[in-house]
Amino acid sequence: MEGHPEARSFQLYPIYDGSTTEQKFDQAYPHVPTETLPGYGKSVYAIKQGNAKLFFLNAGRLQEPGDTQLEWIRKTMNDNKQTFALAWLSEDPKLPEVWKALRTAGISAVFIRDTVYALHVGVSQEPSDYRPSDYEDWDIWGLSDMKEKPFLTEMEANETALTIKAENEEGQPLDQLELNADNLASRDLATLKEKEEIPLVGIQSLWHYHAGDDSIKFAIPDGVDLVGEGPIIETSRTEPVPLPDYDWRSPDYDDSGWKTGRAALGYTNNKERQSSIQTNLETVASPTYYFRKTFELNGDPEKLSGLILHIAYEDGYVVYLNGQEVSRDAILTGVLTESSLAIPNDFASYRRIDLKAHLNKLVKGTNEIAVEVHRGHPGAPNLFFDLGLSVESNGEERQ
């Protein structure tokens, strides 16, 4: 809520953006339902318009897929099923798990300022500026890119379709996006049948970390391809080369002397991104930081059907699972050192990467994931890291 408008009516449905206290927000909008969700005041509420349910959420408190707001949406939709369910947020929560939870809760479109996130399967008519988002199953319509300004956004719904229109001041249509009820119904059925995704490493987890220096050791076994994509796999054999205990990538490496911090970790001169950093890292001469974390897998890896990585980073990274490389971006192939530079790269927000081909690297019991993040220049002002790892199960194997 920016400012306190003197004139208000029942037609105004505000979105809480944290620019004032929740108490003042409650007082400013007496017509908004109060305590729809206990503990959130008027910052979270829902209204019904025809065959659509509109959810207004508190983005600042939407930090994980188990958030009370998401459970409330699920229950509301189960108790009173509507053809269309739309959500409004003041900012992107930037967590893939939250976007998946919004999808499974039944939300079909999310409005964040001048951007519409639409569930891809439900779209029957695409607008001109329509592209995939960083989150699985969601696409973006960027209204801020409209050539003709100013414009108004309107919605029309009937039994089978919901149309989101951009119109000029004369009411002439400029562009539109249409959601189809039948498509969304097929989505709901598919959701019930989809494979269960089980987190092994959560976003915003605790990590051991260490700045790059000469104390970080790594091995180069005989026969290793120094410039290949798998720097710790011998070219002459199919089995991975065991790493010695002193190699920082090894599952047996002793990282007890490393510091511990909660992700996201890093430093930045970007004010918006700074709010996402949970652990501020010290700026050092080396362009590199190293991260390690153990996790448990209680089930049989052979019964799993998928392995998914969600990673946010700047500039480049390499991920190792139990000592073997599984993913790399924005950095040259081959063996790296603490002084290796990444390829200058824009911030990547929680890319989803399919690692199904590396399922055989998981073991039942204790596993280790190790990550090195490199800046594109020793003096670069930004370094960012957060990671989530999950497996897909057909429901027969739970962790």
Side-chain angles (χ1 to χ4, degrees):
M1 182 186 72
E2 296 179 357
H4 300 275
E6 295 298 327
R8 306 178 185 92
S9 76
F10 68 92
Q11 295 176 322
L12 173 62
Y13 294 106
I15 306 166
Y16 180 72
D17 66 2
S19 62
T20 185
T21 65
E22 292 182 19
Q23 183 179 10
K24 290 182 178 179
F25 185 86
D26 291 357
Q27 296 170 351
Y29 297 98
H31 66 283
V32 171
T34 185
E35 290 297 330
T36 304
L37 182 61
Y40 287 78
K42 295 182 179 180
S43 70
V44 174
Y45 62 98
I47 60 172
K48 181 182 177 182
Q49 292 283 357
N51 61 349
K53 195 77 171 181
L54 314 183
F55 293 90
F56 297 83
L57 307 178
N58 186 325
R61 295 169 67 177
L62 192 66
Q63 295 298 318
E64 55 185 43
D67 184 89
T68 306
Q69 297 177 79
L70 296 167
E71 291 298 328
W72 166 66
I73 294 173
R74 292 189 190 97
K75 186 177 186 306
T76 302
M77 292 296 292
N78 288 336
D79 292 346
N80 185 13
K81 186 67 175 178
Q82 299 293 126
T83 304
F84 301 102
L86 314 174
W88 275 260
L89 292 165
S90 62
E91 61 182 345
D92 181 356
K94 297 182 179 179
L95 294 173
E97 292 98 329
V98 168
W99 282 95
K100 180 178 179 180
L102 288 169
R103 172 175 64 84
T104 56
I107 298 297
S108 46
V110 179
F111 298 78
I112 303 178
R113 300 188 185 275
D114 291 332
T115 301
V116 180
Y117 287 79
L119 198 60
H120 179 76
V121 70
V123 176
S124 56
Q125 181 178 347
E126 298 181 359
S128 55
D129 182 22
Y130 188 68
R131 62 189 185 278
S133 75
D134 291 330
Y135 309 111
E136 184 182 13
D137 296 329
W138 294 95
D139 293 337
I140 290 177
W141 180 18
L143 291 167
S144 60
D145 297 328
M146 295 286 295
K147 294 181 180 180
E148 186 171 338
K149 298 177 182 179
F151 62 86
L152 300 174
T153 305
E154 293 189 358
M155 289 186 293
E156 295 179 359
N158 55 40
E159 292 183 359
T160 60
L162 181 142
T163 304
I164 305 168
K165 298 181 179 181
E167 300 178 344
N168 62 21
E169 292 181 302
E170 288 72 40
Q172 298 171 328
L174 302 174
D175 209 345
Q176 68 181 42
L177 181 151
E178 184 175 293
L179 294 170
N180 181 273
D182 292 335
N183 292 354
L184 291 171
S186 67
R187 178 281 311 262
D188 292 339
L189 180 61
T191 296
L192 295 174
K193 296 180 178 180
E194 71 179 1
K195 296 176 181 177
E196 183 182 12
E197 189 170 325
I198 305 165
L200 298 177
V201 177
I203 297 294
Q204 297 183 343
S205 291
L206 289 172
W207 289 79
H208 292 293
Y209 67 91
H210 198 291
D213 59 32
D214 57 11
S215 70
I216 304 297
K217 306 295 184 183
F218 61 93
I220 306 178
D222 293 339
V224 166
D225 178 7
L226 297 181
V227 296
E229 294 183 359
I232 56 175
I233 303 295
E234 285 191 17
T235 57
S236 59
R237 49 187 289 182
T238 58
E239 294 299 319
V241 178
L243 295 175
D245 294 353
Y246 67 79
D247 191 309
W248 75 274
R249 301 164 295 186
S250 168
D252 299 319
Y253 179 81
D254 181 9
D255 59 15
S256 60
W258 289 25
K259 295 180 179 180
T260 302
R262 185 170 299 280
L265 304 101
Y267 46 82
T268 181
N269 59 2
N270 182 298
K271 292 183 179 180
E272 179 180 353
R273 203 170 305 139
Q274 177 62 47
S275 63
S276 301
I277 293 178
Q278 303 292 319
T279 302
N280 286 290
L281 300 181
E282 180 183 358
T283 304
V284 295
S286 170
T288 308
Y289 260 91
Y290 299 93
F291 306 91
R292 286 172 51 89
K293 182 175 182 62
T294 59
F295 62 90
E296 297 296 321
L297 178 66
N298 298 324
D300 183 353
E302 294 186 358
K303 294 184 178 181
L304 299 173
S305 58
L307 181 63
I308 296 100
L309 176 74
H310 295 284
I311 185 166
Y313 61 95
E314 189 173 3
D315 288 299
Y317 75 88
V318 185
V319 176
Y320 306 90
L321 181 56
N322 291 322
Q324 301 176 64
E325 181 176 330
V326 295
S327 183
R328 172 188 298 231
D329 189 50
I331 196 162
L332 296 177
T333 58
V335 173
L336 303 174
T337 71
E338 56 88 17
S339 61
S340 298
L341 296 177
I343 299 167
N345 184 48
D346 291 336
F347 171 70
S349 177
Y350 298 99
R351 283 183 54 201
R352 185 181 191 276
I353 301 171
D354 187 350
L355 297 183
K356 183 177 181 179
H358 298 286
L359 269 171
N360 61 345
K361 296 177 177 61
L362 286 171
V363 298
K364 185 175 182 178
T366 302
N367 292 258
E368 182 77 34
I369 188 165
V371 186
E372 53 186 297
V373 177
H374 298 251
R375 289 179 291 169
H377 185 277
N382 300 299
L383 184 142
F384 192 98
F385 168 69
D386 194 4
L387 179 151
L389 186 71
S390 58
V391 291
E392 285 183 339
S393 169
N394 58 14
E396 299 176 358
E397 194 73 18
R398 292 190 61 84
Q399 309 313 308

